[in-house]
Amino acid sequence: MDVVSLIPQFGGFLYTLTSFVVALSVIVAVHEYGHYIVGRWSGIHAEVFSLGFGPVLWSRVDRHGTRWQVALLPFGGFVKFLGDANAASGKDEEAMADAEGDEALLRRTMHGAPLWARSATVAAGPIFNFVLSTLIFAGIFMAQGTPRDTLTVGELLPIPGLVNELQEGDEVVSIAGLEVPSLEDGTSWAAFRNQIPSEQPLDYGVRRDGVEVTVSGPNLAPPYVHSVAPRSAAADIELVPGDIITAVDGEPIVAFDQLKVIVENAEGRVLLLQVWRTGQTIELALAPRRIDEPQPDGSFATKWRIGISGGLAFSPATKSVAPLDALTAGSSQVWMVVETSLSGLKHMITGAIDTCNLSGPLGIAETSGAMASQGAKSFIWFIAVLSTAVGLLNLFPIPALDGGHLVFYAYEAVVGKPPSDLAMRVLMTLGFGAILTLMVFALGNDIFC
């Protein structure tokens, strides 16, 4: 065996693992801190705040008597409150019996606190995940800005084999004789994009220094690789952002829509791509894959895809986004992730889409590494998406998850007393079994799909 040849693979594995651990640690830390801080505000004492499981690598006790620790296995975390027997907040019968005679001590336990305090503490974990996602999305929107109402040329892409007469700062009035609508009018913009001829060069009517002139430029949406989807056909052959696909099976293309049509019509047949990359032309072969894509109405459509997204021939000049508008857009993005996730789960259960759409830890880890390799912005965006998914998952009404505890509290609010200890033990066991089954199923998807 050539040991030297394994070094790049080992390095890639470490990069993927590190990216996964960083993403998961941020999300878990925020989730558990939500439980901890709201529990503290509610008068419930936290004995242990742990990032990770297993042997403790580092710990310290703060002035509130909480032991903060980092454990060896960085794949989760927990907060153990007074009166808890374990990380899943099972009741410690002995500790609770000792607290029975001390009203003040009983009030500080998780199981002796008022119903409102327990409910708020449990709900805080997922809520903090949603807040984290909203803030990340909002921060990205503020950092990148939003395109100006009038399409204005920003940074130009290098387009091979073309003399591009567009200049940064040009306000685009028309393309190929078609009037450019406001970017805020999504319907008109989509219709405009569909009418642009799949050819180049195109005539651009631009306003430059207050004067309208006509210049020659590229197709508005060239076959440019803006991003690569993890675990896709494009990722497998190492297409990278910045690549421009200039021909498919020897036929030149100049528009992303041309590529899309070819991929859909190939129906999985291997395609030979001619790719322009930083001044050099390379050839790559790939086979499109069937992908279940979410639709605007909440349904899913199965399409042939290679796993890339396109962009314009230039970056539109942007304007700043107000903090409140960014937060509104961030919360809308979180809601979109929630809706898409629930719709996907529903369609998997009904058999409308393949259950291979459910990823397990290996798939999430691979996606973490892929997004990190595309840059900090992509990786941080992925953390926000994953944080939303973790918050949503924890709200599922499964015993041992936060949602299961909230169901128990709802039962207590209606009946006037919590479920019996025996019922709780049975339900928690069933909950752990359901979670383990789901994890094994998702891991099987990672391996066999």
Side-chain angles (χ1 to χ4, degrees):
M1 178 182 291
D2 184 1
V3 176
V4 174
S5 66
L6 295 179
I7 293 177
Q9 299 178 41
F10 183 67
F13 168 76
L14 284 181
Y15 186 81
T16 296
L17 180 61
T18 301
S19 302
F20 177 54
V21 169
V22 169
L24 190 61
S25 296
V26 169
I27 293 167
V28 168
V30 169
H31 179 96
E32 298 303 336
Y33 187 77
H35 289 315
Y36 162 77
I37 194 64
V38 173
R40 203 182 88 188
W41 290 342
S42 303
I44 303 173
H45 174 62
E47 293 185 311
V48 180
F49 184 111
S50 180
L51 191 60
F53 297 99
V56 176
L57 302 176
W58 170 89
S59 69
R60 63 175 286 270
V61 178
D62 67 12
R63 61 188 179 87
H64 300 288
T66 301
R67 179 157 57 91
W68 298 73
Q69 66 183 38
V70 176
L72 180 63
L73 303 176
F75 303 112
F78 63 90
V79 176
K80 181 180 179 296
F81 291 102
L82 185 62
D84 286 345
N86 49 48
S89 286
K91 185 186 291 186
D92 185 335
E93 302 288 352
E94 184 177 341
M96 293 305 298
D98 292 340
E100 284 295 336
D102 188 335
E103 187 174 335
L105 179 61
L106 185 63
R107 172 60 180 82
R108 299 181 69 211
T109 67
M110 183 62 170
H111 305 276
L115 183 59
W116 68 265
R118 286 177 277 147
S119 300
T121 299
V122 168
I127 290 173
F128 269 53
N129 280 131
F130 297 141
V131 170
L132 171 66
S133 300
T134 300
L135 292 176
I136 288 177
F137 287 138
I140 291 176
F141 292 147
M142 290 183 67
Q144 68 183 15
T146 187
R148 298 177 188 173
D149 297 340
T150 300
L151 180 60
T152 304
V153 178
E155 182 180 356
L156 291 159
L157 294 180
I159 305 294
L162 177 79
V163 177
N164 190 350
E165 296 176 349
L166 288 171
Q167 295 180 11
E168 188 172 341
D170 285 347
E171 294 184 356
V172 183
V173 177
S174 66
I175 301 176
L178 301 170
E179 183 179 349
V180 178
S182 169
L183 294 179
E184 292 188 343
D185 186 348
T187 302
S188 297
W189 175 256
F192 164 73
R193 286 279 301 268
N194 291 333
Q195 295 178 65
I196 295 176
S198 295
E199 58 188 51
Q200 71 178 21
L202 295 176
D203 287 336
Y204 281 70
V206 302
R207 188 178 295 110
R208 179 182 296 171
D209 299 326
V211 179
E212 291 194 12
V213 297
T214 300
V215 297
S216 178
N219 190 279
L220 181 61
Y224 166 73
V225 180
H226 182 265
S227 63
V228 179
R231 311 178 74 200
S232 64
D236 287 349
I237 64 168
E238 298 184 346
L239 275 175
V240 297
D243 285 349
I244 296 178
I245 299 170
T246 57
V248 181
D249 290 339
E251 292 295 323
I253 60 173
V254 296
F256 195 88
D257 283 345
Q258 289 178 297
L259 174 64
K260 187 176 178 181
V261 170
I262 292 171
V263 167
E264 290 177 346
N265 291 339
E267 297 185 340
R269 175 177 57 82
V270 174
L271 301 173
L272 183 63
L273 308 182
Q274 185 173 294
V275 178
W276 185 86
R277 177 181 296 171
T278 60
Q280 295 184 332
T281 299
I282 59 176
E283 290 191 345
L284 300 169
L286 57 66
R289 297 175 185 169
R290 294 177 68 89
I291 302 295
D292 296 311
E293 287 187 345
Q295 303 299 300
D297 62 357
S299 65
F300 280 76
T302 302
K303 304 284 188 179
W304 290 99
R305 295 288 184 258
I306 62 175
I308 64 172
S309 65
L312 301 185
F314 52 84
S315 301
T318 60
K319 60 183 179 181
S320 60
V321 179
L324 185 58
D325 291 338
L327 287 172
T328 301
S331 60
S332 297
Q333 186 68 36
V334 169
W335 182 244
M336 188 188 74
V337 174
V338 169
E339 279 192 315
T340 303
S341 300
L342 291 177
S343 177
L345 181 61
K346 170 191 167 186
H347 283 79
M348 279 188 278
I349 292 173
T350 60
I353 63 175
D354 201 319
T355 55
C356 282
N357 286 282
L358 180 66
S359 294
L362 295 181
I364 296 171
E366 187 177 350
T367 303
S368 300
M371 298 305 285
S373 68
Q374 294 187 34
K377 176 186 167 184
S378 296
F379 183 56
I380 293 171
W381 183 275
F382 169 73
I383 289 177
V385 173
L386 186 58
S387 180
T388 302
V390 168
L392 177 62
L393 177 63
N394 271 277
L395 287 177
F396 284 3
I398 300 174
L401 293 180
D402 295 332
H405 288 289
L406 291 174
V407 170
F408 295 148
Y409 296 153
Y411 171 88
E412 182 179 346
V414 172
V415 177
K417 62 179 181 179
S420 67
D421 291 342
L422 176 60
M424 288 290 289
R425 284 195 293 269
V426 171
L427 290 171
M428 292 291 276
T429 300
L430 292 175
F432 277 120
I435 294 170
L436 182 60
T437 300
L438 181 62
M439 290 180 63
V440 170
F441 179 77
L443 184 61
N445 280 354
D446 291 340
I447 296 172
F448 299 111
C449 282

